[in-house]
């Protein structure tokens, strides 16, 4: 371990200790360390449906609406802040209390919340070529110059894991941010990855599902920048 770990290293160390996978329907939390490395999605979800991962799922608005809309897609929301993990659980609980769980369609049996660091989870637990889509909405922009090194898209291990784990048969990466300068940087960094290429459309089929940050920024009149990347086989 380095003597003076930087901010992301500290997060990494803390989250690897308490990391958990939470089943939304049963609220059962299991320590991440109890899962095999890598995780076998089919055994994990009990079905062979495609897997989509939201990184930095915040208060869980996208996760809830998308997983309800697509019951035959398995979703994982990765969030490292405990406060947001708790708020996401509350959001789902309220929804389930109000609308019930539709046992027939299996509503929310397709969702797991990973309270952990995304870089740790991707590099260690996500099998190669196993993710049909990543959703990264409003990643922390770390606007101060001295903090920009914390940006997730600056992390080479993260970029490698993202590329490795996307399905080579057109796995997709959906990105949105209000932060123009970071948006440009993300595009520059992704253009350096030979296995990812930008898709002409900037539309996600679920673009109408606004995240919490998006709702806030749209109200403030900020412009939202989006891009979509696709994984190619070679
Ligand atoms: C600006 S918020 C956006 C939240 C949500 N996507 C939205 O649009 O409402 C960024 C979120 O990413 C989470 N986050 C940042 N880095 C992360 C990492 N390495 N692993 C997991 N979550 C992370 C933060 O805790 C925060 O909740």
């Amino acid at each position: 371990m380095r003597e003076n770990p930087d901010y992301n290293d500290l997060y990494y160390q803390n989250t690897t200790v308490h990391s958990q996978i939470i089943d939304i329907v049963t609220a059962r939390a299991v320590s991440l360390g109890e899962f095999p490395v890598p995780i076998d999605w089919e055994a994990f979800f009990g079905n062979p449906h495609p897997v989509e991962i939201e990184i930095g799922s915040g208060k869980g608005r996208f996760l809830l609406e998308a997983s309800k809309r697509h019951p035959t897609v398995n979703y994982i929301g990765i969030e490292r802040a405990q406060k947001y993990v708790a708020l996401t659980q509350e959001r789902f609980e309220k929804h389930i209390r109000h609308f019930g769980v539709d046992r027939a369609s299996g509503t929310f049996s397709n969702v797991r919340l990973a309270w952990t660091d995304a870089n740790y989870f991707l590099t260690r637990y996500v099998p190669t070529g196993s993710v049909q889509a990543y959703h990264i909405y409003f990643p922390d922009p770390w606007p101060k110059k001295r903090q920009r090194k914390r940006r997730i898209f600056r992390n080479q291990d993260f970029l490698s894991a993202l590329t490795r784990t996307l399905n080579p048969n057109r796995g997709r990466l959906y990105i949105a941010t209000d932060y123009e300068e970071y948006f440009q940087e993300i595009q520059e960094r992704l253009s350096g990855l030979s296995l990812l290429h930008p898709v002409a459309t900037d539309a996600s089929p679920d673009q109408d599902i606004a995240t919490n940050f998006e709702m806030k920024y749209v109200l403030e009149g900020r412009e939202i920048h989006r891009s979509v990347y696709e994984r190619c086989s070679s």
Side-chain angles (χ1 to χ4, degrees), residues 57-73:
S57 47
K59 296 181 185 171
R61 190 171 190 280
F62 176 83
L63 197 61
L64 188 148
E65 297 299 334
S67 60
K68 196 169 58 161
R69 183 179 288 181
H70 305 288
T72 56
V73 174

Side-chain angles (χ1 to χ4, degrees), residues 54-58 78-81 84 116-119 137-140 152 211-214:
E54 185 184 10
I55 293 177
S57 47
I78 309 178
E79 176 52 61
R80 72 179 177 188
Y84 289 132
T116 190
D117 177 272
N119 191 30
Y137 301 133
F138 303 87
D140 291 326
I152 199 162
T211 68
N212 277 87
F213 270 73
E214 182 173 348

Side-chain angles (χ1 to χ4, degrees), residues 198-214:
V199 178
T201 172
D202 68 354
S204 146
D206 297 315
Q207 196 171 299
D208 58 312
I209 303 176
T211 68
N212 277 87
F213 270 73
E214 182 173 348

